[in-house]
Amino acid sequence: MTAALAPESCTVFTASERGEEVVCAKGLHVRPDHSFASAPESDLILVPGGRGTRTEVDNPVIIEFLRKAAVRAEIMTSVCTGSFLLERAGLLRGRRATTHWGSLDRLRALNTVQVVDDQRWVDEGPVVTSSGVSAGIDMALYL
């Protein structure tokens, strides 16, 4: 086994604003490992989508966390409507990006992103967006 594939070669963790449990739309409970304040610097950040993004896009704490994380991270990624959080953080300006098919027009209406609606994921170097849940799996395999 090469070092790049060894389990100890990377650390995977979840984070929420205050480190508190997050209950997803379908009832899944996510118990974060860190708060935004205690989260270690990361090489790759994955921003999930879903209904919560509609309110979190106006949460200055998460937007600032993403801005700061992007300075250090090699790659910022999003699944589904997580792209709206990356856009609000200024990380998609002038870039090509995608989101869930039902939100493409809403992303396009922001006039800050070159919306791609015929690709499952869009690689713009330091930012990679995917169009939905299964496309997020495809994006992860691509990465």
Side-chain angles (χ1 to χ4, degrees):
M1 180 178 273
T2 66
L5 300 176
E8 64 278 358
S9 67
C10 68
T11 302
V12 177
F13 64 88
T14 55
S16 69
E17 184 174 341
R18 290 179 290 283
E20 297 171 347
E21 182 176 78
V22 176
V23 180
C24 302
K26 305 293 187 212
L28 175 70
H29 291 245
V30 177
R31 293 180 23 206
D33 302 299
H34 297 279
S35 68
F36 290 163
S38 72
E41 291 183 343
S42 302
D43 297 322
L44 187 143
I45 305 279
L46 184 134
V47 180
R51 290 185 188 148
T53 60
R54 288 189 172 99
T55 55
E56 294 304 314
V57 75
D58 293 319
N59 179 340
V61 176
I62 192 169
I63 300 306
E64 187 58 23
F65 172 77
L66 293 173
R67 281 186 189 125
K68 287 181 179 177
V71 171
R72 165 73 169 70
E74 184 177 335
I75 301 175
M76 299 291 288
T77 70
S78 67
V79 174
C80 192
T81 55
S83 59
F84 285 88
L85 297 172
L86 295 181
E87 188 281 333
R88 183 59 61 92
L91 304 175
L92 296 182
R93 288 206 177 92
R95 297 184 193 277
R96 296 176 327 115
T98 193
T99 192
H100 184 273
W101 65 267
S103 296
L104 289 166
D105 288 338
R106 194 163 54 99
L107 186 60
R108 191 175 282 112
L110 298 174
N111 284 326
T112 58
V113 181
Q114 298 171 25
V115 177
V116 176
D117 49 11
D118 61 349
Q119 290 180 232
R120 293 179 62 73
W121 73 88
V122 176
D123 183 345
E124 283 287 288
V127 182
V128 183
T129 55
S130 67
S131 59
V133 176
S134 62
I137 295 168
D138 293 346
M139 175 188 70
L141 293 170
Y142 166 75
L143 292 171

